[in-house]
Amino acid sequence: GTSCTATVNQEGNFDLESVVASKPDYIFVSASKHGGFEVLKDCNIPLISHHGYKETDPLGQAEWIKLIGILTGETRRANAVFADIETKYLKLKDEVAAQKSDKLPTVISGRQIRDGWYFVGGKSYMAQIFSDAGAEYIMKDNSESGGVTEDFESVYVKGLNADFWQTDGAHSGEYTLNDLAAEDERYATMEAFKNNQVVFCNLSETPYRELGGVQPHYILADFVKAFHPELLPTYEPKYYKIIK
């Protein structure tokens, strides 16, 4: 059979006529959203919670492609795609580990978002990416698996001397160090900024939100390219790139 997707408005305010008219076999819902899915139950269409984004292992996120394979009748294809992702990820991870560096580069995450410095938790999938890419995450002792917000100054002090700085955002066109410094003048005092080692993903210019979850091997390679460029001399980053 064939499958398709349909936009039926936001949670809690669904266009039920569009839902019924599209005749879906099932509806994926995200536990991270605000809810309001109960009204969809009246359509007698199965609701399936998709929790892939909650996985703390990058390969665990990608493995949800197997569920999509089952639901679309493409089990063999989905399993083959995941096996390829897994092989590439683990091969690169092993190559990084084989370097046995005495001192790993350090990395800080995030930046000021509204009421504090937002960064990825120490048990998050991104923290695992940092480790697999051969870096020590400054906030590795944090116990959260999702995003965390703390007082700006407290995170700034911890990340001031980090070798690298990972952050992302939606920006039209190329995002530069000048754009970053314009957000807060203190950013320009950070070692990673001064040494041109800010690794940024432009959410407006890359399909990170759409494909990043099932391409952890590319995300890992992006950070290996930043942290240990000698291991991937010809690789062109897909999502996270060092900005200038």
Side-chain angles (χ1 to χ4, degrees), residues 82-95:
F82 176 73
D84 182 59
I85 293 169
E86 183 179 39
T87 297
K88 290 175 178 175
Y89 188 101
L90 294 178
K91 180 177 183 291
L92 182 54
K93 176 184 175 181
D94 289 345
E95 290 175 358

Side-chain angles (χ1 to χ4, degrees), residues 30-121:
S30 171
S32 73
K33 299 302 181 181
H34 303 298
F37 298 121
E38 291 77 11
V39 67
L40 292 176
K41 295 178 181 177
D42 296 335
C43 299
N44 294 317
I45 300 167
L47 303 183
I48 300 176
S49 294
H50 197 295
H51 297 275
Y53 67 95
K54 284 186 171 290
E55 298 281 357
T56 57
D57 186 298
L59 289 175
Q61 285 202 13
E63 197 169 19
W64 277 73
I65 197 171
K66 292 182 179 180
L67 173 61
I68 307 301
I70 292 172
L71 295 173
T72 58
E74 293 282 356
T75 299
R76 182 179 298 179
R77 182 182 176 193
N79 288 349
V81 169
F82 176 73
D84 182 59
I85 293 169
E86 183 179 39
T87 297
K88 290 175 178 175
Y89 188 101
L90 294 178
K91 180 177 183 291
L92 182 54
K93 176 184 175 181
D94 289 345
E95 290 175 358
V96 172
Q99 296 302 299
K100 293 184 174 61
S101 176
D102 292 335
K103 186 178 184 302
L104 298 177
T106 54
V107 57
I108 188 61
S109 163
R111 65 190 194 282
Q112 175 81 14
I113 302 291
R114 293 183 293 278
D115 56 352
W117 188 301
Y118 179 88
F119 60 91
V120 297

Side-chain angles (χ1 to χ4, degrees), residues 211-231:
L211 297 176
V214 291
Q215 295 187 335
H217 54 312
Y218 287 147
I219 299 174
L220 175 64
D222 288 351
F223 284 102
V224 172
K225 178 72 173 183
F227 301 155
H228 305 283
E230 70 281 359
L231 292 179

Side-chain angles (χ1 to χ4, degrees), residues 168-176 179 200-212 215 222 237-241 243:
D168 59 39
H171 185 83
S172 178
E174 183 182 4
Y175 186 81
T176 68
D179 293 317
F200 181 80
C201 176
N202 193 334
L203 303 176
S204 293
E205 303 292 328
T206 68
Y208 181 85
R209 289 194 177 105
E210 295 80 6
L211 297 176
Q215 295 187 335
D222 288 351
K238 302 288 192 286
Y239 298 109
Y240 278 93
K241 304 177 182 180
I243 59 175

